[in-house]
Amino acid sequence: MMDLGEVFGPDGRLAARLPGFSHRAQQEAMAERVAEVLGAGGVLVCEAGTGTGKTFGYLVPALLSGRKVLISTGTKNLQDQLFDRDLPLVREALGVPVRVALLKGRANYLCLHRLEVAGAESVGPDPELRRQLERVQAWSKSTRRGDIAELAIPEDAPVWPLVTSTSDNCLGQGCAHWQDCHLVSARRAAQAAELVVVNHHLLCADLALKDEGFGEILPGADCFVIDEAHQLPEIASGFFGVALSGRQLLDLARDTELEYRREAGDAPELLTQTAGLRRATQDLRLALGQDDRRGPWREIMGDARVTEALATLTRRLGRLGEGLGALAGRGKGLDACLGRARDLAARLAVLEREETADQVRWFELHGRGFRFHQTPLSVADVFRDQFARQRAAWVFTSATLAVGADFGHFTNQLGIEGAQTE
């Protein structure tokens, strides 16, 4: 590896290429420690306060390591900033021909199948939604990456759920557009790259095998750098539990209706079943009350209106599953809806069982939506198994990881044993 003093020093490569760069001893010291761990293996837990320049402190040794490195950030905004601004600057200053890739979650990529299915019936009379869909359709003909950030439509616009996929509704390798899929292309680029930038949600989804139908990206990496690592325990707990939302139920009803028009127009009873599921979902939301709030599961289980609405929802979801089961084999879209109906029914059954001592069950209400959660009290075992299986180098860094000089709280949360700490 290049002498890091030649990179970070007062007259080094970064100072020569980056206006305003100044030498910081702590930044160089961090880079030295990161380089040691990336080369020799092990785990480094590294607190670098604001002003240290920790991004360059791990990017430089990562680019010079000659190994496959996966960098995970706390949010998509930080991910974009790292990939679009910091990484090109450092790579140019070092003059190293390292192949890099940006990989986001599937909801950030246009789904060609969903776009094909979306039409006038799915957008209804809403003129703004119709205009958004027309813009997406025009953009789809020219985009190469299919990253929805390329289009100046708000991230929370109602058109995006219609034209992007989830792990629930993706057809996987059975999709007619598999070879041209933007997400598949992004995954292939990530597998071929030497440095990949992801975010914690995608990292945890991969760890939890939420994205079935796609090859894992984690086994191909030699080194992992987790930035904003203090956010990881909370994000991880959501991926290793069970969740069910009103949005998932309503999306299932809508997608079933779309696939019905394509593949099962001679089975009108299916529309009765989707209408029943939609009504039961809406009735449950009304029973939960109008206010936006969060609370423990026992709070709603003590309300007879809620338990009755839940029982009705369970029946309606089961009937839709039976209706879809009777049409099994009619088409890949309907079969995918059948799988989703069974999965959501299984989640609902888990949530209605008695809570165990190692879990916490809770709900959240927002606007016209609801979400139920069962999350583990600890994700330490999951990460402990991952460390043992990967045999890779790990770097966890953030401005806030230690309590005083003690990293024990953070390392215990993630099951990290025998780590070097700085």
Side-chain angles (χ1 to χ4, degrees):
M1 183 179 288
M2 187 184 300
D3 183 351
L4 294 180
E6 296 177 8
V7 178
F8 290 97
D11 300 313
R13 288 174 177 257
L14 293 178
R17 299 292 182 93
L18 305 180
F21 179 85
S22 59
H23 173 255
R24 280 166 281 187
Q26 295 92 337
Q27 184 183 55
E28 186 175 341
M30 174 183 172
E32 295 281 2
R33 290 308 311 274
V34 171
E36 290 173 12
V37 171
L38 296 187
V43 181
L44 172 66
V45 181
C46 175
E47 182 174 279
T50 303
T52 303
K54 62 184 171 65
T55 304
F56 285 15
Y58 63 70
L59 273 181
V60 169
L63 286 166
L64 295 175
S65 68
R67 308 184 72 187
K68 172 114 180 185
V69 182
L70 186 143
I71 298 174
S72 182
T73 65
T75 65
K76 285 188 294 184
N77 288 338
L78 287 172
Q79 185 185 6
D80 287 334
Q81 175 183 307
L82 178 64
F83 188 80
D84 295 330
R85 190 191 69 182
D86 298 337
L87 184 53
L89 287 175
V90 175
R91 187 168 60 161
E92 181 183 353
L94 296 177
V96 289
V98 175
R99 291 174 297 174
V100 300
L102 176 71
L103 184 61
K104 300 179 180 180
R106 67 167 69 244
N108 296 277
Y109 296 97
L110 176 69
C111 172
L112 298 175
H113 169 72
R114 302 274 296 168
L115 179 64
E116 183 179 74
V117 172
E121 297 89 350
S122 60
V123 299
D126 186 338
E128 177 58 25
L129 183 53
R130 192 178 296 271
R131 281 193 292 269
Q132 290 177 351
L133 181 59
E134 289 171 353
R135 290 182 62 191
V136 172
Q137 289 169 334
W139 166 70
S140 70
K141 296 177 174 62
S142 60
T143 181
R144 295 182 61 189
R145 292 193 303 155
D147 187 337
I148 67 173
E150 296 173 7
L151 202 55
I153 294 177
E155 188 176 315
D156 59 352
V159 71
W160 292 129
L162 296 178
V163 298
T164 59
S165 72
T166 66
S167 56
D168 292 331
N169 61 34
C170 175
L171 300 183
Q173 296 187 37
C175 180
H177 298 282
W178 176 262
Q179 294 301 323
D180 302 315
C181 176
H182 294 298
L183 177 58
V184 172
S185 296
R187 288 251 172 173
R188 287 173 180 154
Q191 289 168 345
E194 295 152 292
L195 187 149
V196 184
V197 180
V198 301
N199 58 60
H200 296 349
H201 287 85
L202 183 57
L203 175 73
C204 290
D206 210 82
L207 282 171
L209 302 179
K210 294 279 186 178
D211 265 357
E212 294 180 9
F214 291 91
E216 294 175 79
I217 56 171
L218 298 187
D222 304 309
C223 313
F224 297 83
V225 178
I226 314 299
D227 197 355
E228 301 300 323
H230 65 281
Q231 299 177 13
L232 187 59
E234 181 178 354
I235 292 172
S237 68
F239 279 91
F240 298 109
V242 176
L244 175 72
S245 71
R247 171 72 172 274
Q248 289 173 303
L249 295 163
L250 294 175
D251 284 353
L252 172 61
R254 182 199 64 211
D255 292 346
T256 300
E257 290 167 354
L258 292 174
E259 297 297 346
Y260 157 82
R261 295 186 182 98
R262 284 162 49 90
E263 301 174 343
D266 60 340
E269 64 276 9
L270 203 59
L271 296 183
T272 303
Q273 292 156 354
T274 57
L277 176 61
R278 184 178 290 108
R279 186 165 54 253
T281 303
Q282 294 166 343
D283 288 347
L284 176 57
R285 178 63 186 92
L286 289 173
L288 289 164
Q290 296 182 354
D291 296 338
D292 291 358
R293 60 194 175 101
R294 291 184 177 188
W297 188 252
R298 64 177 180 275
E299 186 177 310
I300 58 175
M301 286 297 96
D303 187 328
R305 294 171 304 169
V306 174
T307 55
E308 183 179 345
L310 266 173
T312 300
L313 176 63
T314 300
R315 288 195 302 272
R316 298 294 186 187
L317 183 56
R319 287 176 188 168
L320 177 58
E322 291 169 4
L324 287 165
L327 299 172
R330 281 285 192 96
K332 293 174 181 175
L334 282 174
D335 286 349
C337 289
L338 171 59
R340 291 163 62 186
R342 289 173 173 169
D343 176 62
L344 293 175
R347 296 188 204 186
L348 191 56
V350 168
L351 289 164
E352 291 180 310
R353 292 180 198 146
E354 186 174 348
E355 188 173 303
T356 60
D358 60 346
Q359 301 163 341
V360 60
R361 199 168 293 167
W362 53 287
F363 70 92
E364 54 182 333
L365 310 176
H366 182 73
R368 290 180 292 178
F370 63 85
R371 191 172 182 87
F372 300 146
H373 302 266
Q374 177 178 286
T375 54
L377 290 174
S378 172
V379 294
D381 288 343
V382 174
F383 279 92
R384 191 177 291 112
D385 291 344
Q386 192 66 33
F387 298 142
R389 189 163 58 245
Q390 289 291 123
R391 297 295 180 187
W394 291 80
V395 175
F396 296 88
T397 185
S398 175
T400 52
L401 287 179
V403 179
D406 184 7
F407 288 88
H409 177 68
F410 174 76
T411 56
N412 290 338
Q413 282 182 301
L414 292 183
I416 300 171
E417 298 170 351
Q420 305 173 50
T421 60
E422 286 288 348

